[in-house]
Amino acid sequence: MNDSKSEQVKRFLAEPDVHQKWIGTYYCAENETFYEQAFDYIISILKAPKNSTFLDAGCGNCAHSIRLANRVFSVQAVDFSESVLKMAEANVKTKKLEDKIKIQREDITALSFEDKSFNYILCWGVLMHIPNIEKAISELTRVLKPGGTLVIAENNMYSLYSITIRNLKRLLGKGKGVAKKVPSGVEHWSTTPTGTLVTRHANIQWLLKRFKSNQFVVKKRIAGQFTQLYTRVSSRPLKSLIHGFNNLWFRYIKNPHLAFGNIVILQKMRDEATDIL
Ligand SMILES: C[S@@+](CC[C@H](N)C(=O)[O-])C[C@H]1O[C@@H](n2cnc3c(N)ncnc32)[C@H](O)[C@@H]1O
């Protein structure tokens, strides 16, 4: 049902422009500080043995694969966009991490890996762009080993930021494209001559339920960035203030329910039959 939409999104994400725009917007110095703190915290929860291998599903330019490699893990980085994989390869080469990070072109909704291939999977900011999210969830479940851990980062449709932006757009009659409420969240569809992009503000409860019905337990739900308002203002001091507030929220307030960014750590239950063998 979602196939033609999936093809349109694939075509859009094949182009380098959107990735360059994301890199310019999200990989500023303040966000680097945030990501470094967030990864230290996530890794402290995972307690993964050194040299464990992570699947970085939807790796983009490999910024997070590099963070994992710098924390002495190995990474199998995958993305379906050839243009972003070229950027990823150049990044990994510059950091001389070719031994630690292997890059491969893969579609998360049809992964070529065997069942139960990975102990750890990172899927950061990716499910929100996949029209057939159910298929992506089932593939991530399939390739994760029983007892393995999946870390996802998604945007929360019930955050103050998401609700405010939605209502402001409605009131002002603004916003390009089409917003659609679906069980998995609020999807914003925008179309250009090269294709279509979906960005979903997730219904986190729906996501958790889906993973639970795929034999996962929720280990932790963490607040990510409280707001992405910094992407909408141009004043430097205002941007810094917003980043400061995001850090305050992440470090001290920690409530994920009101925060836009949500990081969820899920563990796939052990397969009793396999454990006995
Ligand atoms: C917003 S970017 C996030 C990239 C990276 N995880 C990060 O946080 O920097 C989303 C990435 O997911 C990739 N992606 C989206 N759908 C995918 C799919 N079905 N299979 C593989 N990659 C996909 C896109 O090409 C893009 O690089």
Side-chain angles (χ1 to χ4, degrees):
M1 175 185 126
N2 274 318
D3 279 354
S4 66
K5 295 259 185 223
S6 298
E7 282 310 312
Q8 287 168 30
V9 170
K10 203 173 203 169
R11 231 180 308 123
F12 186 81
L13 289 168
E15 298 293 321
D17 310 33
V18 63
H19 300 283
Q20 272 151 2
K21 191 173 156 216
W22 281 336
I23 292 165
T25 308
Y26 296 109
Y27 288 100
C28 54
E30 291 98 334
N31 270 1
E32 280 300 320
T33 310
F34 167 77
Y35 290 134
E36 286 298 316
Q37 279 186 74
F39 272 73
D40 280 345
Y41 185 56
I42 292 165
I43 297 304
S44 76
I45 294 171
L46 298 191
K47 295 188 174 65
K50 277 185 186 173
N51 296 320
S52 301
T53 300
F54 279 73
L55 172 67
D56 184 358
C59 60
N61 69 345
C62 267
H64 300 323
S65 298
I66 291 170
R67 260 179 259 289
L68 291 170
N70 285 339
R71 287 165 175 80
V72 296
F73 299 116
S74 297
V75 184
Q76 173 64 71
V78 303
D79 204 291
F80 66 4
S81 166
E82 276 187 58
S83 64
V84 86
L85 287 179
K86 279 196 191 120
M87 299 176 207
E89 272 158 11
N91 257 344
V92 169
K93 200 169 169 202
T94 308
K95 299 276 191 283
K96 299 191 170 38
L97 286 169
E98 296 102 315
D99 288 353
K100 284 283 193 187
I101 303 174
K102 301 289 168 226
I103 298 174
Q104 195 167 309
R105 185 165 183 237
E106 289 279 342
D107 184 337
I108 295 168
T109 61
L111 292 166
S112 70
F113 304 109
E114 306 251 303
D115 296 359
K116 306 176 188 174
S117 291
F118 297 95
N119 282 312
Y120 299 95
I121 302 180
L122 173 74
C123 191
W124 189 288
V126 181
L127 293 177
M128 63 181 76
H129 298 299
I130 301 185
N132 194 347
I133 187 170
E134 303 259 12
K135 189 74 178 75
I137 291 173
S138 90
E139 277 298 86
L140 293 174
T141 305
R142 183 182 68 73
V143 301
L144 187 65
K145 288 185 187 173
T149 306
L150 166 68
V151 180
I152 58 167
E154 288 293 303
N155 295 331
N156 171 15
M157 71 175 274
Y158 292 116
S159 60
L160 227 49
Y161 176 72
S162 180
I163 292 171
T164 310
I165 293 290
R166 251 190 334 273
N167 284 321
L168 272 180
K169 278 186 179 167
R170 201 173 300 140
L171 272 173
L172 302 172
K174 273 200 168 172
K176 291 174 239 142
V178 185
K180 214 167 94 190
K181 194 160 181 209
V182 292
S184 54
V186 178
E187 293 182 341
H188 187 267
W189 291 86
S190 51
T191 301
T192 70
T194 45
T196 300
L197 179 69
V198 61
T199 307
R200 186 182 308 105
H201 291 186
N203 178 347
I204 303 287
Q205 284 308 331
W206 180 92
L207 259 184
L208 300 186
K209 251 194 218 152
R210 267 292 169 283
F211 278 109
K212 281 179 190 166
S213 66
N214 274 275
Q215 308 300 309
F216 279 87
V217 285
V218 180
K219 298 294 276 184
K220 202 145 184 106
R221 179 177 170 191
I222 307 164
Q225 292 192 317
F226 179 78
T227 175
Q228 282 186 1
L229 204 54
Y230 59 85
T231 61
R232 294 175 184 266
V233 297
S234 48
S235 148
R236 269 263 121 228
L238 199 52
K239 274 186 194 279
S240 296
L241 206 68
I242 296 165
H243 284 295
F245 186 75
N246 278 344
N247 277 334
L248 184 86
W249 196 276
F250 177 74
R251 292 181 66 171
Y252 302 108
I253 303 176
K254 298 179 181 200
N255 180 330
H257 301 278
L258 293 178
F260 185 54
N262 268 222
I263 302 162
V264 185
I265 301 180
L266 299 135
Q267 188 167 28
K268 185 172 160 183
M269 281 191 262
R270 286 189 187 280
D271 179 345
E272 298 300 329
T274 322
D275 278 358
I276 292 162
L277 289 175

